[in-house]
Structure formats: structure tokens, C-alpha cells
Amino acid sequence: MRYVVCTAIALICTNLHAQTPPARPRFEVASVKPAANDETGFGRIPMMREMMRNGRRPGMIPMTDPGRIRLENWALLDLIAAAYSVRATQVSGAAWLSDQGFDIEAKVPDGTPKEELNAMLQSLLEERFGLKVHRNTQTSQGFALVVGKNGPKLKPAEPPPTPEPGLTEDEQKAKQKQKAQANLAAMMTRMKENRESGTPLGGFSTDHWPSITTEELASRLVRFAGEPVVDETGLTGKYSVTIEIWKNPDVPGGTVFDAVEKLGLKLEPRKVTVETVVVDQVSKTPTAN
């Protein structure tokens, strides 16, 4: 009898252990604080923030070195999107999620694969912001990105930039920031010249991605199409893509459909299913470091 009872208890304990989910990975130590105002105004320009947001791959969490991540001036909207590997447009929550930027520095345990960084960021957001979310799927009108009848006209991806020898990490970042500011200034100048010459483009936008897959391209076309876009091209390579779009109907050839057609691709209206991350609870202010 005693043997039967002990065996039953052992089986119950084994089942309970099997049902207990493994602990989610966490950073060894992390600092979270509101981002300071950028004296150059670089981080406060809505267009620039939008470009940076759209330039990130879903789920991308950059590492400054193999054992540390540093995120500068990331809004809660972007942090949540990165943690759950979706685009910002797939996060459903309060409008203020994109208002305040945060600086995060975190130590990653030795030997941690990059695939675990997203789960670590989820843990951090839960612990410091009290984040609670659930995933959902919805079917709505959207577009499928497909290959045009004459085939794709995509250029191969550009090689990654080679760091200049002799520059520190901070100097490299400062140079990249200067380049981004110069690109923005050139865009502003072009828009001004168009207005002065009587060619109002009304919402002109130029986007260049030196190395991008068609799946990533589809997700970035969402903000132009205004509806979900899924990749059905069947293409698996990486490409260098530049698109120019404007919304003024008096200037022909500037829609997102025109831009995609120049790439040998096409946006077809389609019912699509999109995964979303719904924010149930989150605090505007993180707990103290």
C-alpha cells in the first residue's frame, strides 16, 4: 500500500514538473532610463523617427558587442515590437506608446544565442514596465506582393559598409549619425526645391534599403499602402531597393503601386491574415534601476 501511494505521489510530481514551463531567459543586469533630449533635434524629428522605425527588421535587437545591448531613444512601441518580433504597425495599444524614448543598456549572459534576446527583452519589459500582452490574428483587406508579368527588376544587395580603421565605436556611431542627418537634409532640400519650382509633391518620400528581402520589403510597404502587405513573390535573395513615393494626384507616377512596378513587382488586393500583439497593461514609467 505504501509503495502504491509513493508511486502515485512520484507520478504526480513528475507530471507537475513536466507541466511547468521553462524559465524565460533574462539579462544579467539592465539599466532603463528616459532618453535625454537630442541637442541636434535628430531624434525629435517625426519623419526621422518614422524612417528609423521602418528601417528596423522585425525583432532586430542590435548588440554593441557579443555580451551587451544598447538601445538609444527607443519608444515603448518599438521595444514591444522588437521583443515580440513584429512591426510597430502590428502592436495595438495606447497612442502614447510612441511618445517617450528610453535608453536601455543590458548585460547578456555569456554564451547566449541571439535568438534569446527577444525573450530577454520581453522579461525586461514585464519586470520594469509591468507589460502584459496577448497575441491575436485578424483577417482584413490587404495586398499580396507578387512578381510582375515581366519578372523582377531587383538589384543584388549592397555589401555591408566597412568600418573605418582607427575609429572608436562612438566615433563610428557619430559618423553614421552625421550621414543620416546629411541624407535627411538632402531630402528636405529636394522637397524645398520642388515647392519653389512649382512641383508640389505633397508627402514626398524616398526610402533606400541596401540589403533587404522581399518579405522585409512587404512589411515596410504597409505605411504607404495603408493596409497589410504579405510577401508572395517566392524570391529568397537579398536586394538593394530604392522607392520614391508622393501622394499628390496632380503629379503622376508617384503611388506605391508605381514604385513597386518599377521593381518588376506588383501589389494585388487580397484578404490577408496578420498577427498582432495587443497591449493589455503597461506603465509609462519604468521601475528604478
Side-chain angles (χ1 to χ4, degrees), residues 6-259:
C6 291
T7 302
I9 292 175
L11 287 174
I12 292 172
C13 291
T14 301
N15 289 335
L16 288 175
H17 178 74
Q19 293 172 8
T20 302
R24 182 184 293 162
R26 285 171 166 77
F27 297 116
E28 283 189 4
V29 63
S31 168
V32 182
K33 58 184 179 180
N37 287 334
D38 189 339
E39 295 180 356
T40 64
F42 178 79
R44 298 196 302 270
I45 300 174
M47 181 190 298
M48 199 67 226
R49 290 180 69 97
E50 185 73 12
M51 289 174 62
M52 293 172 66
R53 176 173 293 150
N54 291 319
R56 300 188 190 110
R57 295 189 302 275
M60 182 188 73
I61 302 176
M63 297 184 71
T64 55
D65 60 60
R68 186 174 299 274
I69 69 165
R70 179 188 299 169
L71 310 178
E72 296 182 350
N73 200 13
W74 281 45
L76 266 173
L77 176 67
D78 301 307
L79 292 170
I80 295 170
Y84 290 91
S85 299
V86 297
R87 300 208 63 80
T89 53
Q90 293 169 259
V91 177
S92 176
W96 55 260
L97 288 175
S98 60
D99 291 348
Q100 172 66 55
F102 293 91
D103 294 335
I104 294 179
E105 288 197 46
K107 175 71 171 64
V108 180
D110 293 338
T112 299
K114 287 186 176 182
E115 292 75 18
E116 290 190 2
L117 292 179
N118 304 89
M120 290 182 174
L121 185 55
Q122 291 177 27
S123 298
L124 181 66
L125 294 175
E126 289 178 3
E127 295 168 1
R128 304 298 296 276
F129 290 91
L131 176 68
K132 293 182 180 179
V133 304
H134 70 272
R135 292 184 183 269
N136 194 15
T137 56
Q138 59 183 31
T139 301
S140 63
Q141 182 60 46
F143 295 96
L145 181 66
V146 300
V147 175
K149 63 180 181 179
N150 294 322
K153 304 174 184 178
L154 296 165
K155 298 179 181 179
E158 299 175 9
T162 304
E164 293 189 26
L167 294 183
T168 66
E169 179 186 337
D170 289 339
E171 289 172 338
Q172 293 281 2
K173 291 180 64 177
K175 191 158 188 177
Q176 292 174 0
K177 186 173 182 178
Q178 289 175 355
K179 183 178 179 180
Q181 289 176 313
N183 291 338
L184 178 62
M187 184 186 304
M188 296 294 190
T189 299
R190 183 173 179 182
M191 292 174 66
K192 181 180 178 182
E193 291 173 349
N194 284 323
R195 286 196 300 269
E196 292 175 349
S197 65
T199 309
L201 296 183
F204 175 81
S205 175
T206 296
D207 287 87
H208 173 67
W209 301 290
S211 179
I212 190 174
T213 65
T214 52
E215 182 180 6
E216 293 167 344
L217 175 61
S219 67
R220 297 179 190 187
L221 292 174
V222 172
R223 68 187 178 106
F224 301 112
E227 294 176 344
V229 180
V230 296
D231 176 36
E232 294 188 7
T233 61
L235 302 175
T236 58
K238 289 192 173 184
Y239 308 96
S240 173
V241 175
T242 300
I243 61 171
E244 292 187 349
I245 295 172
W246 54 90
K247 298 180 180 179
N248 192 323
D250 296 329
V251 183
T255 69
V256 65
F257 304 98
D258 297 317

